[in-house]
Amino acid sequence: MKDSQYPIHERLPFASLLTMAAGSLDAYSYLAHGQVFAGLQTGNIILFGIHLGRLEFANAFHYVLSILAFFVGTILIRILQYRFADMPTPVYRQRWILTGAIIFLMIGWGASYVAPSIVVIMFLSMAAAAELQEFRKLKGAAFTPLMMTGNLRKLAEASFDSIFYKKVLAYQRVKDTTIILISFAVGALLSGLAVLWLHVNAIVLPILILISAIIVLNHGYNN
């Protein structure tokens, strides 16, 4: 199926923006707030175990708070999903959820001037949870904007199918998945540069990307 035959929130341009926002947010939180990931909770669990094994309990606690905040953020978005379940299109709910994610990021931005990093990370993790809980499909297939391991596996599988079995859909999956992986890397790269210049203010990057995603979402449903 052509990209235009899917709802806007399942199309590649929108998914690429979400993935870029996720990459930039994780890079920002790791670099600017104590090497804790906002969205990549697998990484946080690994780092929690490492610090716990070294008896570095204070450092391990930082990761626990991020994990718990992600858990709470997911529940909050689930409440919104039930609240807006009867809407004729999901765009109303999606606008609210993306706006909520931006608000969480802005609160974290403000908190970075008056509170320790562990408090900031909690708001960033709730924003990441909002993105993952609501947007989980790309062209009808399972998709995650936060964790690239699954996407890397899909790329390897689709590459094999397209080269050795000449599957038409596999060629498209190779293209789409490659763009998603590049988008995540570009988001992380831009955040790495932004933190060098802007320090904690580099959070403006994922905020601007999510605002762009809302614009794309609105344009898609209005056309």
Side-chain angles (χ1 to χ4, degrees), residues 25 77 94-108 123-124 126-131 135 206-207 210 214:
L25 181 56
I77 298 309
Q94 291 164 351
R95 285 171 182 159
W96 274 106
I97 289 172
L98 285 176
T99 301
I102 291 170
I103 290 172
F104 282 137
L105 294 181
M106 293 185 73
I107 293 172
F123 290 105
L124 305 188
M126 286 192 283
E131 188 176 329
F135 303 102
I207 290 173
L210 288 181
I214 293 176

Side-chain angles (χ1 to χ4, degrees), residues 49-82:
I50 289 172
H51 286 289
L52 197 62
R54 293 176 175 177
L55 303 181
E56 298 168 352
F57 300 114
N59 289 332
F61 185 62
H62 294 180
Y63 300 99
V64 172
L65 287 181
S66 177
I67 294 165
L68 290 176
F70 192 92
F71 186 90
V72 171
T74 300
I75 291 174
L76 291 176
I77 298 309
R78 192 61 178 154
I79 291 170
L80 279 179
Q81 287 175 328
Y82 279 116

